Amino acid sequence: QVQLVESGGGLVQPGGSLRLSCAASGSIASIDSLGWYRQAPGKQRELVAGITSGGSTNYADSVNGRFTISRDNAKNTVSLHMNSLKPEDTAVYYCNAAIRGTYEWRANIRWGQGTQVTVSS
């Protein structure tokens, strides 16, 4: 069984930084795209940043220039470096990955359990 486990959330003051990490484990044959989504109270889940297997990245306009997504293919991890955090960045952040398990014939989308990020003074 394939699992995604996030870490690194917490409380930070406006202007501060946080680093989120997500590790994939289990019977993994391959990992395609990876990404981070977030969901604030009363709002729909939205894409924050994504990275392809080739390393191409894309960002939501609201975080472009402040957040950086990266992946370590050897460790099956994806990270999100968040700088210049704003109160409006407060949300539950979810790791997302297209993973083909050892016994699967195609990649399936997996989600982590979510980690809370709160930006407040």
Side-chain angles (χ1 to χ4, degrees):
Q1 188 172 353
V2 176
Q3 289 186 325
L4 295 176
V5 178
E6 300 119 333
S7 60
L11 173 65
V12 64
Q13 292 186 341
S17 300
L18 274 178
R19 178 177 179 268
L20 305 182
S21 294
C22 174
S25 62
S27 300
I28 297 171
S30 61
I31 300 178
D32 191 1
S33 61
L34 292 161
W36 288 94
Y37 286 70
R38 67 185 181 187
Q39 187 167 20
K43 295 187 177 181
Q44 290 189 335
R45 191 173 297 189
E46 62 176 358
L47 174 66
V48 176
I51 184 167
T52 68
S53 57
S56 298
T57 59
N58 63 289
Y59 297 93
D61 289 342
S62 59
V63 307
N64 199 19
R66 299 188 296 122
F67 291 10
T68 302
I69 188 171
S70 60
R71 64 189 288 167
D72 185 331
N73 293 327
K75 297 181 179 179
N76 290 340
T77 60
V78 60
S79 297
L80 185 68
H81 295 257
M82 305 184 292
N83 297 317
S84 303
L85 283 161
K86 305 175 181 180
E88 50 263 43
D89 294 318
T90 296
V92 177
Y93 284 69
Y94 297 90
C95 176
N96 167 282
I99 298 174
R100 184 170 68 85
T102 302
Y103 299 103
E104 296 175 328
W105 63 275
R106 64 175 178 85
N108 291 291
I109 300 298
R110 267 83 172 184
W111 292 91
Q113 80 284 358
T115 185
Q116 177 71 46
V117 172
T118 302
V119 184
S120 175
S121 55

